[in-house]
Amino acid sequence: MAARPGWVVLLEGDVGAGKTTFARAFIRALAGDATLEVPSPTYTLVQRYDETAPAVLHSDLYRLLYPSELTELGLDDPDDPAIRLIEWPQNAGEGAFPDALTLTLDMEGQDARAAHLSGPDEAMAEIAHSLSARAMLDGAGHSLADRFRFQGDASVRRYERIDTETETGTGNHMLMDAPRQPDGPAVRDGKPYSQLVHLAESVHAFMAVSQALTKGGFAAPAILADRRDEGLLLIEDIGSGSVLDDEGVPIPERYEAAAELLASLHAKAWPDVLDLDRTIVEQNRAIRPDSPASADTHRLHPYDTDVFLTEIELCQHWYLPHRSDGVETSQVVDIEAFVSTWRALLAPLEDQPRTLTLRDFHSPNIIWRDDQKGIARVGIIDHQDALMGPPAYDVASLVQDARVTIEPDLQDKVLSAYKAARAEQAPAFDESAFDTAFALMALQRNTKILGIFARLNARDGKPHYLKHLPRIEAYCRQVLKHETLAPLRPFYADILPPEAP
């Protein structure tokens, strides 16, 4: 579970020590397939497995004649992210793999082996972190649980599926691995971007918001165990159903149900300081008495004009250079006038009531639970960055889904479902004011996402996010038709590419 792309693991030991047996188990675990055929590469010298994530190169150098053959085998390709498991590495020559981990298997009788692991400090720290996750599972009564890698998101968080077996039967949990990350460079007032826009810096935020949602009657993962100082949580698996069909097409009834959930969430009064469940705090300290004391509350910061404008700057710093092939942003749009216009349009929202804003309420973060009823049918995940903001923001996240195209007629249906539910719960609901706020929040969010997806490509090496840009650009053009946004139209005429026929 600790292994990262590009790792090299040297497998040392006498004939029969178990090197191939270990490699076979490693590859099967990484593939999530206990029956995967993994032959010994004694004669082929190297065998590649793309079924795993990342890929694995399993090699046996026992028959290697010359160290120069490593290049022909592809074992020293620095651009290949595959993990390399190498048996008989001594035949490659001294210093062939300078940053490798070394796993030495010593025979201790017919049925026992001693494993000795050594390697670079960074890799060993990753392995120690993974062992800490195992210790957390042990403390929670799941010492025999199997761990499987699970697809993550655009963030640095990692997830594992935990298959548990207890006296009451089998079940699934999720392990969330989100260690505190070092702050980035200062952007303004000596603070990095993450602090300026109040992104969660620890799993503490996820715990507090998830517990608040659960207490409020909403379907969010329960916290089952934690080592929060290490960024480790064992959480309930609330399902895997989607609001999309098997072809990735939105299912209208499920989107409308998600809109009704937002209406229920916005009808509640939420405190801006959330208390962390005392049971979890005490349980955590009982399992691990040496764990440092953590704050038992979490503050939901306001989602205000300053935060909105800081997010909009992502478009300026990342999307515009992407669009203009590095041309100076100032030559594309008058940034000072652009920001000033945005500030004036956002100002009226400061006087409107704020509610719990999940901040990323769209298809990847919505779980459909077909076996439930009412609002329990819609599960909520990835909510650690929640703030107190305008109700229209999450509605815009849902109606103009960043990952899948929502056609205008479905947008209208989802908006109507939300507004009908809100009017039923609050007769004083002002539909006209909401429509204005929705237009502002939809354009603000889409402008931010243009910058985020361009940044994921340029900074983080994730070019697949660029395929979403035409959709986000189309959303911007669509919402710019609202009369409230007329002052911004000249700017976006320069920012957005020409509309395709």
Side-chain angles (χ1 to χ4, degrees):
M1 292 300 103
R4 297 288 188 268
W7 274 20
V8 178
V9 183
L10 310 181
L11 303 178
E12 297 186 345
D14 294 335
V15 174
K19 300 183 293 298
T20 300
T21 298
F22 172 86
R24 182 175 293 120
F26 180 98
I27 292 166
R28 287 174 172 174
L30 207 56
D33 182 357
T35 64
L36 181 67
E37 183 68 21
V38 183
S40 171
T42 300
Y43 295 100
T44 60
L45 297 188
V46 64
Q47 184 75 33
R48 185 181 184 92
Y49 296 89
D50 290 310
E51 301 93 327
T52 58
V56 174
L57 290 174
H58 177 203
S59 65
D60 184 333
L61 304 185
Y62 186 77
R63 297 175 181 274
L64 190 74
L65 297 177
Y66 306 102
S68 60
E69 293 180 69
L70 291 177
T71 300
E72 183 179 336
L73 295 174
L75 294 178
D76 59 355
D77 181 358
D79 297 322
D80 187 350
I83 295 170
R84 296 155 174 79
L85 301 179
I86 301 177
E87 300 183 41
W88 299 100
Q90 57 268 38
N91 290 352
E94 187 175 351
F97 305 105
D99 298 319
L101 286 153
T102 300
L103 178 66
T104 303
L105 297 173
D106 292 329
M107 302 175 69
E108 294 194 349
Q110 182 176 352
D111 299 320
R113 302 291 186 271
H116 304 274
L117 187 65
S118 61
D121 290 345
E122 183 176 354
M124 294 301 289
E126 292 279 6
I127 292 168
H129 184 68
S130 184
L131 292 174
S132 185
R134 171 58 66 183
M136 180 182 69
L137 295 176
D138 293 347
H142 302 305
S143 58
L144 298 180
D146 289 323
R147 299 165 59 183
F148 300 92
R149 290 192 179 207
F150 189 80
Q151 180 65 39
D153 54 21
S155 73
V156 295
R157 291 182 293 274
R158 295 173 59 250
Y159 296 90
E160 297 176 16
R161 191 183 82 246
I162 308 298
D163 285 0
T164 61
E165 186 171 343
T166 64
E167 294 179 357
T168 58
T170 60
N172 293 329
H173 299 321
M174 298 295 295
L175 188 146
M176 178 176 172
D177 184 1
R180 183 183 291 272
Q181 297 297 309
D183 289 333
V187 174
R188 187 182 304 113
D189 301 329
K191 296 180 179 180
Y193 174 82
S194 59
Q195 289 185 17
L196 290 172
V197 301
H198 310 303
L199 297 179
E201 296 186 334
S202 72
V203 294
H204 182 267
F206 181 94
M207 296 174 70
V209 176
S210 202
Q211 289 168 358
L213 287 168
T214 302
K215 290 177 182 177
F218 300 93
I223 311 300
L224 306 174
D226 78 277
R227 288 194 167 191
R228 77 188 69 167
D229 53 309
E230 297 176 64
L232 294 169
L233 295 181
L234 180 64
I235 63 177
E236 176 189 11
D237 183 352
I238 62 173
S240 58
S242 175
V243 291
L244 310 175
D245 65 17
D246 293 341
E247 303 298 323
V249 177
I251 301 174
E253 296 78 10
R254 297 183 182 183
Y255 268 81
E256 291 177 60
E260 291 165 356
L261 173 136
L262 286 179
S264 297
L265 186 139
H266 296 160
K268 289 183 64 69
W270 297 92
D272 57 7
V273 175
L274 304 177
D275 293 322
L276 198 62
D277 192 322
R278 290 298 308 171
T279 303
I280 291 292
V281 175
E282 292 161 4
Q283 181 187 61
N284 181 57
R285 290 174 184 163
I287 292 174
R288 193 176 184 207
D290 63 332
S291 178
S294 299
D296 298 338
T297 61
H298 171 66
R299 183 190 173 203
L300 297 171
H301 293 274
Y303 206 0
D304 56 20
T305 298
D306 286 341
V307 178
F308 289 138
L309 292 176
T310 301
E311 291 179 332
I312 287 171
E313 286 179 6
L314 291 174
C315 177
Q316 167 192 343
H317 295 312
W318 297 97
Y319 175 73
L320 283 178
H322 166 77
R323 254 259 300 135
S324 56
D325 296 325
V327 174
E328 282 291 328
T329 300
S330 59
Q331 297 179 29
V332 179
V333 64
D334 184 340
I335 294 299
E336 185 175 344
F338 178 63
V339 172
S340 177
T341 303
W342 258 115
R343 185 179 294 278
L345 291 175
L346 290 168
L349 294 182
E350 296 289 336
D351 299 325
Q352 294 187 12
R354 291 191 175 100
T355 187
L356 178 65
T357 303
L358 301 171
R359 217 172 175 186
D360 216 8
F361 190 71
H362 63 159
S363 53
N365 301 329
I366 304 173
I367 304 298
W368 182 255
R369 292 145 51 92
D370 214 20
D371 58 336
Q372 302 293 320
K373 296 181 179 180
I375 61 173
R377 294 178 300 170
V378 182
I380 305 170
I381 61 173
D382 201 18
H383 45 59
Q384 61 282 333
D385 294 326
L387 301 176
M388 293 295 286
Y393 186 89
D394 280 341
V395 183
S397 301
L398 175 68
V399 171
Q400 296 194 334
D401 194 316
R403 304 294 185 92
V404 61
T405 299
I406 310 296
E407 299 294 347
D409 59 340
L410 180 54
Q411 291 187 38
D412 291 341
K413 288 181 180 179
V414 178
L415 276 171
S416 295
Y418 174 83
K419 290 190 282 191
R422 287 289 283 131
E424 183 178 343
Q425 296 161 348
F429 174 68
D430 187 336
E431 183 173 336
S432 176
F434 173 81
D435 287 341
T436 298
F438 174 86
L440 282 164
M441 293 295 89
L443 186 60
Q444 189 276 344
R445 175 173 170 78
N446 286 315
T447 303
K448 170 180 70 174
I449 293 175
L450 288 174
I452 290 175
F453 286 176
R455 183 178 66 181
L456 283 167
N457 169 60
R459 188 192 69 181
D460 303 331
K462 298 179 179 180
H464 55 282
Y465 282 92
L466 296 181
K467 68 183 180 182
H468 299 297
L469 291 184
R471 175 186 306 113
I472 308 303
E473 292 160 352
Y475 285 152
C476 288
R477 294 189 192 98
Q478 178 189 346
V479 76
L480 277 164
K481 295 175 183 177
H482 194 284
E483 191 56 35
T484 299
L485 302 178
L488 287 168
R489 290 173 192 163
F491 297 104
Y492 282 86
D494 294 329
I495 292 172
L496 301 175
E499 186 172 5

